[in-house]
């Protein structure tokens, strides 16, 4: 394998407080990074970089870790433009729109679904996302959920079983029967293809008791819990997430003081999804409240065809800074190291020796430009696993 050095980086975000300026971002000015194979083997000041086989001059641009998007729904078919248009014209969002996508997804071929996943992964990669989790949840039958996970697993290692997205329309009059299906035959068919299990714990979807039964059954099959919690209303989702040691509680829009304290004291990451609030004109999550309580916060896109049809982590960073009380440093950390924590990964989300060489070079002198220049395509180059892909 050959070694490559990227030199003359104006500002390098390492996410290692022991490096650089000692902040959580571990900023190093006029920096260099050395890649060997798929790993980072050295970081430091550019003037001290060791000799390598290849050298790339960053010419005074900033470098950050690849974004880690720990929450998306990419295995789908169909379009919900009309729903979005109606909602922007004054009709409130409810979870019922999911059923529209279920119908289209069931009708789509494996090839169509796989092509869609590939398309949105490529779209995200161009914007700097090098790790992306995605879920099932638009099939809601044993066969359709299992095939969604098989398709997803061809494209990413971070795959989540979400048979409990909403109660299947086939079980509209028997929600208990659907929970039995999700925790029984569907789980048996899906578990071999997933790492995680998720549930939409929300009014109109699954209550706390149902969510506990689903996540507990998944954990018994070797799947680790994560949960859609407290998005539309106050509810038991966050407390359940902490109780079950879920990797993340996602959305966290409506929180009591007890919810915030639980997240601040536990290991469950609070994953905030500002694209959903933007696209539904809903209340913004209060990131400042969570951060001040000591909670670990991640930012993700929630890319899905209904409530957050964006694959842009830079866009979510800008929203978090503008509307959720985060500083530019906090938002970037949450979109990289925070996402890695939500996936319980230590090999991504940072630029330190031993980490996977997932790097993003910005056409800007500082990461602050991601929030400072919203909507501007600032990603200049992307490396994933040491290979330049954009």
């Amino acid at each position: 394998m050959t070694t490559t050095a990227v030199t003359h980086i104006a500002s390098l975000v390492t996410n290692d407080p022991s490096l650089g300026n000692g902040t959580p971002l571990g900023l190093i000015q006029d920096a260099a990074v050395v890649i060997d194979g798929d790993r980072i083997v050295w970081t430091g000041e550019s003037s001290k970089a060791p000799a390598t086989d290849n050298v790339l001059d960053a010419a005074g641009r900033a470098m950050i870790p690849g974004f880690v998007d720990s929450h998306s729904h990419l295995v789908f078919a169909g379009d919900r433009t009309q729903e979005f248009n109606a909602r922007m014209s004054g009709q409130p969002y409810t979870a019922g729109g999911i059923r529209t996508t279920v119908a289209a997804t069931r009708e789509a071929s494996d090839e169509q679904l796989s092509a869609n996943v590939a398309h949105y992964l490529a779209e995200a990669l161009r914007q700097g996302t090098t790790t992306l989790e995605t879920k099932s949840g638009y099939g809601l039958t044993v066969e359709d959920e299992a095939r969604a996970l098989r398709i997803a697993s061809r494209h990413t290692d971070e795959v989540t079983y979400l048979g409990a997205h909403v109660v299947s329309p086939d079980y509209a009059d028997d929600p208990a029967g659907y929970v039995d299906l999700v925790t029984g035959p569907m789980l048996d068919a899906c578990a071999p293809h997933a790492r995680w299990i998720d549930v939409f714990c929300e009014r109109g979807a699954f209550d706390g008791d149902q969510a506990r039964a689903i996540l507990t059954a998944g954990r018994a099959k070797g799947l680790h819990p994560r949960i859609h919690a407290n998005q539309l209303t106050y509810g038991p989702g966050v407390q359940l997430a902490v109780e079950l040691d879920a990797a993340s509680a996602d959305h966290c829009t409506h929180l009591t003081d007890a919810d915030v304290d639980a997240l601040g004291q536990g290991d469950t990451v609070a994953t905030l999804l500002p694209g959903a609030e933007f696209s539904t004109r809903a209340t913004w999550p209060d990131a400042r409240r969570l951060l001040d309580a000591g909670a670990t916060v991640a930012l993700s896109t929630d890319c899905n065809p209904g409530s957050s049809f964006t694959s842009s982590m830079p866009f979510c960073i800008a929203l978090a800074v503008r509307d959720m009380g985060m500083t530019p440093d906090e938002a970037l950390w949450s979109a990289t190291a925070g996402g890695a924590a939500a996936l319980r990964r230590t090999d991504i989300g940072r630029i330190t020796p031993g980490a996977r060489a997932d790097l993003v070079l910005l056409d800007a002198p500082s990461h602050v430009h991601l929030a400072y220049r919203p909507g501007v395509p600032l990603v200049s180059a992307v490396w994933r696993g040491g290979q330049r892909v954009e």
Side-chain angles (χ1 to χ4, degrees):
M1 289 184 286
T2 59
T3 55
T4 299
V6 184
T7 62
H8 300 114
I9 301 165
S11 177
L12 174 67
V13 174
T14 68
N15 284 340
D16 183 343
S18 70
L19 300 175
N21 65 355
T23 68
L25 292 190
L27 289 171
I28 303 175
Q29 306 299 325
D30 192 15
V33 174
V34 176
I35 304 167
D36 187 352
D38 67 348
R39 296 287 148 175
I40 296 161
V41 294
W42 186 90
T43 60
E45 295 176 14
S46 192
S47 62
K48 300 177 181 177
T52 56
D53 300 310
N54 303 299
V55 177
L56 174 67
D57 190 340
R61 290 172 287 182
M63 178 172 278
I64 62 174
F67 296 123
V68 181
D69 189 346
S70 62
H71 184 128
S72 77
H73 305 251
L74 299 186
V75 189
F76 70 88
D79 181 88
R80 282 158 67 181
T81 302
Q82 291 182 340
E83 176 190 321
F84 177 79
N85 191 36
R87 190 165 60 236
M88 294 299 102
S89 302
Q91 298 181 25
Y93 167 71
T94 67
I98 292 168
R99 295 179 179 86
T100 303
T101 301
V102 169
T105 303
R106 288 179 178 180
E107 293 176 2
S109 68
D110 288 10
E111 292 73 20
Q112 289 172 317
L113 294 176
S114 185
N116 271 355
V117 175
H119 171 79
Y120 293 114
L121 282 172
E123 184 178 273
L125 185 63
R126 290 193 298 272
Q127 299 172 89
T129 297
T130 51
T131 301
L132 194 147
E133 177 271 1
T134 200
K135 311 175 193 294
S136 66
Y138 292 127
L140 308 187
T141 67
V142 172
E143 179 182 349
D144 284 306
E145 285 296 293
R147 78 163 178 148
L149 294 171
R150 286 196 303 270
I151 289 166
S153 65
R154 297 173 196 162
H155 299 276
T156 178
D157 294 333
E158 299 295 347
V159 178
T160 301
Y161 166 47
L162 183 60
H165 202 178
V166 293
V167 174
S168 169
D170 308 320
Y171 284 78
D173 298 324
D174 185 17
Y178 186 65
V179 172
D180 289 342
L181 182 72
V182 168
T183 57
M186 189 182 287
L187 175 60
D188 291 339
C190 290
H193 308 292
R195 181 183 178 202
W196 307 97
I197 184 168
D198 198 344
V199 59
F200 189 11
C201 183
E202 187 63 66
R203 186 181 303 166
F206 298 91
D207 64 25
D209 290 339
Q210 292 169 325
R212 178 181 284 102
I214 291 163
L215 296 178
T216 301
R219 191 166 61 180
K221 284 285 188 178
L223 303 182
H224 201 89
R226 40 197 336 109
I227 186 168
H228 285 60
N230 302 52
Q231 177 188 4
L232 307 177
T233 58
Y234 293 95
V238 164
Q239 296 290 337
L240 181 61
V242 175
E243 173 194 329
L244 297 181
D245 187 36
S248 65
D250 297 18
H251 288 289
C252 295
T253 307
H254 299 277
L255 301 179
T256 65
D257 289 344
D259 293 332
V260 174
D261 289 344
L263 289 167
Q265 295 169 17
D267 295 326
T268 297
V269 174
T271 300
L272 307 183
L273 311 168
E277 279 70 40
F278 176 88
S279 297
T280 60
R281 289 181 177 159
T283 301
W284 296 101
D286 188 347
R288 182 81 271 133
R289 184 182 178 200
L290 287 162
L291 290 164
D292 289 347
T296 300
V297 173
L299 284 178
S300 292
T301 64
D302 193 17
C303 186
N304 75 80
S307 61
S308 183
F309 204 8
T310 180
S311 58
S312 175
M313 290 289 275
F315 174 65
C316 291
I317 286 172
L319 292 180
V321 171
R322 167 63 178 81
D323 292 303
M324 288 164 43
M326 301 184 87
T327 68
D329 284 12
E330 290 167 339
L332 178 63
W333 191 95
S334 295
T336 51
L343 296 175
R344 299 207 163 163
R345 298 274 297 271
T346 59
D347 61 326
I348 56 176
R350 58 194 180 94
I351 302 178
T352 56
R356 197 172 77 179
D358 293 350
L359 313 169
V360 175
L361 191 64
L362 299 177
D363 189 16
S366 166
H367 66 279
V368 177
H369 281 235
L370 291 166
Y372 180 40
R373 304 195 68 208
V376 177
L378 294 178
V379 173
S380 176
V382 181
W383 289 260
R384 183 172 58 189
Q387 296 294 315
R388 187 167 176 173
V389 290
E390 287 292 335

